[in-house]
Amino acid sequence: MLGFLDYQRATFAWKCRGLDAEGFNTKVAASSMTLGGMMKHLALVEEGWFSETLHGRERGAPWSEVDWKADRDWEWHTAPDDSPEELLAQWERSLEIARAGVAEALEGGGLDQLAERKWSDGRAPSLRWIILHMIEEYARHNGHADLIREAVDGETGE
């Protein structure tokens, strides 16, 4: 499962590689999605699932400084304010945090370990569920990224 997740992560990285701010902020058709927004969103969900939910940790910066009630899609809306280098650095930091969280959970309880933070109905996802969810999250966004990257410069592929 981790191999599939890393494959999806690598595919997303490929879709963003070599683009400037204009490429990171390109929109396709009626969608407001951009590669920059997607990268910031994926950084948030990596930390959200593998640190906050799985281990019950508090959000770190920049996520802890956001008024999420005022703007539930803050990461998407603020990505144009960040350079491609800043977005990539945040995403890579989030991947490090996520990988460390997975390694810790595998050592402590394996794939069936339940997350510290529970859903509103009292259930908690397992590490296995979280990994599978993240594969799905990346696969869905990689489809979006395919369309945007092709619109930017004609690049297609994985």
Side-chain angles (χ1 to χ4, degrees):
M1 287 188 313
L2 292 175
F4 281 111
L5 179 54
D6 280 338
Y7 175 79
Q8 293 296 329
R9 288 168 170 159
T11 299
F12 181 71
W14 180 90
K15 293 297 171 186
C16 297
R17 189 172 303 124
L19 294 177
D20 60 11
E22 183 179 342
F24 263 63
N25 291 308
T26 297
K27 297 175 184 172
V28 176
S31 176
S32 63
M33 276 196 257
T34 65
L35 290 171
M38 227 175 284
M39 184 170 278
K40 200 165 186 176
H41 171 72
L42 289 167
L44 171 65
V45 297
E46 287 275 5
E47 287 188 49
W49 282 109
F50 291 119
S51 181
E52 186 180 349
T53 300
L54 184 59
H55 294 290
R57 297 188 175 117
E58 295 301 315
R59 288 182 174 172
W63 323 118
S64 60
E65 301 161 2
V66 176
D67 181 354
W68 292 100
K69 290 180 182 175
D71 187 354
R72 292 181 50 88
D73 292 322
W74 175 86
E75 75 277 24
W76 293 95
H77 298 149
T78 60
D81 300 333
D82 301 327
S83 71
E85 295 79 19
E86 290 169 323
L87 291 165
L88 182 59
Q90 178 63 61
W91 182 64
E92 288 174 344
R93 279 191 303 274
S94 295
L95 290 179
E96 288 174 17
I97 291 167
R99 287 185 173 118
V102 169
E104 182 182 340
L106 287 173
E107 287 177 17
L111 291 171
D112 293 324
Q113 177 176 325
L114 296 179
E116 291 290 323
R117 296 225 172 129
K118 296 178 175 25
W119 289 320
S120 60
D121 66 2
R123 294 178 305 135
S126 66
L127 174 59
R128 179 187 323 275
W129 186 96
I130 293 169
I131 293 170
L132 290 171
H133 173 70
M134 287 301 294
I135 292 168
E136 180 268 338
E137 180 88 10
Y138 271 96
R140 180 178 60 245
H141 286 311
N142 280 337
H144 303 135
D146 279 339
L147 296 172
I148 296 170
R149 181 62 191 245
E150 187 173 3
V152 168
D153 61 9
E155 288 289 324
T156 60
E158 292 298 322

